[in-house]
Amino acid sequence: MIPLSSVPPADAADETAKGQIRQANEALILAAAERVFAGAGFGGATMAAIAEASGLPKANLHYYFGNKQALYRRVLARTLADWLLPAHVITPEADPRQAIEHYIRAKMALSAQRPHASRVFANELLHGAPVLKELLVTELSGMVRDKAAVIQGWIDAGRMAPVDSTHLFFTIWAATQTYADSEVQVSAVLGTPSLAPAAHARATEHVVSLLLRGCGLL
């Protein structure tokens, strides 16, 4: 028999359930928004189309996000946050090969799992990043500055080849995100309708080995 003291109050249980429902609905909406914004662009996307793609009433979108601009901003911010997270392994005490390989593989995995998010992000950049600019010059720039300093420390200590520690990030982004942003081009060259898991795994091994070799870590 469960002690009464361990049973959460009805109000607390209700709030927990509501929170879980909210998280699930927000995840559905954000995933749908990534697909719609990627296909139609910000101007062509509508809340009605996103609601249909999510399988939720349009009123839910307005309840959780307010309007299309706020939802678009949330999609971009979430994408950037998810891209920044894998870099946490780049620390002074880490093994350079393991840390850089982890970061590359994580970015390749995100390209495979969230290609629409990457395309929305790329389209925002192509239009001058009117919504993202502040996050780029604060969060993204700060992350690169900090992690580039770590990589430069590895270089100075002779733990990896002398590369431009800042431009290394640009190279990693270009090599990994192209498999999402330019999937139609890659698939056309490979003669496939889309980039299958096996093809993406092959691409991942290529990108990892090429970049690690360039860093003197392979």
Side-chain angles (χ1 to χ4, degrees):
M1 185 174 181
I2 302 175
L4 292 177
S5 59
S6 68
V7 178
D11 289 347
D14 187 52
E15 287 302 314
T16 299
K18 288 180 179 179
Q20 292 172 342
I21 292 171
R22 182 185 184 96
Q23 289 179 357
N25 285 346
E26 286 187 352
L28 284 173
I29 294 168
L30 288 168
E34 288 177 359
R35 296 194 300 272
V36 175
F37 284 132
F42 176 78
T46 65
M47 293 293 265
I50 296 170
E52 182 179 358
S54 69
L56 295 171
K58 183 179 174 182
N60 283 39
L61 276 66
H62 290 288
Y63 176 75
Y64 292 122
F65 297 100
N67 54 44
K68 186 174 76 166
Q69 290 82 357
L71 178 54
Y72 177 69
R73 192 175 298 111
R74 178 71 174 275
V75 166
L76 290 171
R78 184 176 80 142
T79 300
L80 180 58
D82 289 344
W83 284 357
L84 293 177
L85 186 61
H88 77 281
V89 299
I90 301 175
T91 60
E93 62 275 10
D95 175 76
R97 171 174 174 164
Q98 291 180 358
I100 293 176
E101 180 174 351
H102 170 88
Y103 182 61
I104 296 169
R105 289 188 182 278
K107 288 291 280 96
M108 284 295 291
L110 284 167
S111 287
Q113 297 161 5
R114 304 262 302 286
H116 298 102
S118 184
R119 292 166 197 155
V120 176
F121 197 94
N123 194 44
E124 167 73 5
L125 296 182
L126 289 173
H127 285 82
V131 174
L132 263 180
K133 182 65 68 68
E134 184 177 351
L135 289 176
L136 296 180
V137 299
T138 54
E139 294 188 24
L140 182 62
S141 179
M143 183 280 282
V144 172
R145 182 173 57 252
D146 293 345
K147 300 308 180 182
V150 172
I151 292 172
Q152 189 60 50
W154 292 341
I155 294 169
D156 294 342
R159 300 178 67 190
M160 61 180 285
V163 299
D164 188 306
S165 58
T166 297
H167 282 267
L168 176 60
F169 284 94
F170 302 149
T171 303
I172 292 173
W173 299 343
T176 57
Q177 289 163 219
T178 193
Y179 288 99
D181 303 342
S182 302
E183 181 187 5
V184 64
Q185 175 179 261
V186 175
S187 298
V189 172
L190 295 177
T192 58
S194 61
L195 199 58
H200 203 279
R202 172 189 170 191
T204 297
E205 297 310 315
H206 164 73
V207 172
V208 167
S209 64
L210 183 68
L211 290 172
L212 289 182
R213 188 175 295 111
C215 291
L217 297 171
L218 193 63

